[in-house]
Amino acid sequence: MDEQTASTMAAVGPRLKGLRAQRSLSLTSLAESTGISLSTLSRLESGQRRPTLELLLPLARELRVDIGELIGAPQTGDPRVHLKPVTRHGMTMLPLTRRAGALQAYKLIISPKMRPLEPEQASHEGYEWIYVLDGRLRLVLGDNDLTMGPGEAAEFDTRTPHWFGNADSDPVEILSLLGHQGERAHLRARTIGPAETPEAR
């Protein structure tokens, strides 16, 4: 880890503690709402635990902040959205939304050289929708071990233990939507009538 990355990681704990204090949340209540253990949160705030993507996502969602605020991404007065990728455990995450709370969208690029091959399932509060853009994705969801290709989507309750990574030796790109418990991605399709052609629409 280079010096700049180490400094960024070291600042996550105090930033998390400050955001929690602003919202008058106890460690216990934050642990209950995110599904992260009390001891893990305590060690994360004190700098004894290294932050990971699996920890930062539910924390950012529960605290109603963009994940960039947790890791200290530089702010800008430019009203245009400046997307800043973050790489953790072989996954490069590009946030596609900046609105705090509600549904959060990310593009993930997963490297087969960096992502662990052995699934380490995790669970937390929320609901996730995944769409494969390119490559082949391996999704381990509870007792199910699935392989997904481009154009395939999956949605699941994140309280179910889960893990995803590369299904083969090639990178995989996916879109991920993360919402609070009970929120789902609703897809709408329009049916073409018998006298209607796509060109007439």
Side-chain angles (χ1 to χ4, degrees):
M1 184 186 298
D2 60 48
E3 192 172 321
Q4 182 178 0
T5 301
S7 176
T8 299
M9 291 297 96
V12 169
R15 193 171 288 109
L16 172 60
K17 187 174 183 179
L19 288 168
R20 181 173 61 80
Q22 287 176 17
R23 289 154 179 76
S24 301
L25 290 172
S26 66
L27 272 175
T28 301
S29 62
L30 188 59
E32 291 174 351
S33 61
T34 59
I36 300 171
S37 71
L38 185 62
S39 61
T40 296
L41 283 177
S42 179
R43 288 186 289 125
L44 189 60
E45 285 194 356
S46 65
Q48 298 175 30
R49 172 67 184 264
R50 184 176 174 181
T52 65
L53 187 61
E54 287 79 8
L55 293 175
L56 293 174
L57 285 175
L59 286 170
R61 185 170 55 245
E62 187 61 31
L63 293 170
R64 301 287 201 279
V65 296
D66 185 88
I67 198 168
E69 190 170 341
L70 271 179
I71 62 174
Q75 299 297 313
T76 174
D78 192 329
R80 293 172 296 178
V81 176
H82 293 267
L83 303 175
K84 186 177 180 64
V86 177
T87 300
R88 297 283 182 275
H89 298 285
M91 295 192 294
T92 299
M93 182 186 71
L94 187 68
L96 301 177
T97 54
R98 297 187 67 86
R99 183 164 58 94
L103 212 60
Q104 299 291 318
Y106 302 89
K107 178 180 180 181
L108 297 176
I109 303 172
I110 307 174
S111 166
K113 296 180 180 179
M114 300 295 292
R115 184 71 169 157
L117 295 176
E118 289 301 317
E120 295 180 6
Q121 291 178 294
S123 60
H124 52 83
E125 288 291 321
Y127 207 86
E128 185 162 6
W129 181 85
I130 289 175
Y131 179 84
V132 181
L133 295 169
D134 189 42
R136 297 173 71 242
L137 180 77
R138 181 185 178 192
L139 172 63
V140 181
L141 184 62
D143 295 328
N144 298 308
D145 196 332
L146 311 169
T147 298
M148 300 168 56
E152 291 189 292
E155 58 178 340
F156 53 91
D157 187 323
T158 55
R159 290 177 299 188
T160 302
H162 59 280
W163 175 94
F164 51 81
N166 308 78
D168 52 33
S169 59
D170 295 321
V172 61
E173 297 184 18
I174 66 173
L175 289 178
S176 172
L177 299 180
L178 291 163
H180 290 289
Q181 203 65 48
E183 287 185 334
R184 296 188 176 206
H186 297 283
L187 305 180
R188 299 181 62 184
R190 180 172 178 230
T191 303
I192 301 175
E196 188 179 7
T197 64
E199 291 76 12
R201 286 186 298 170

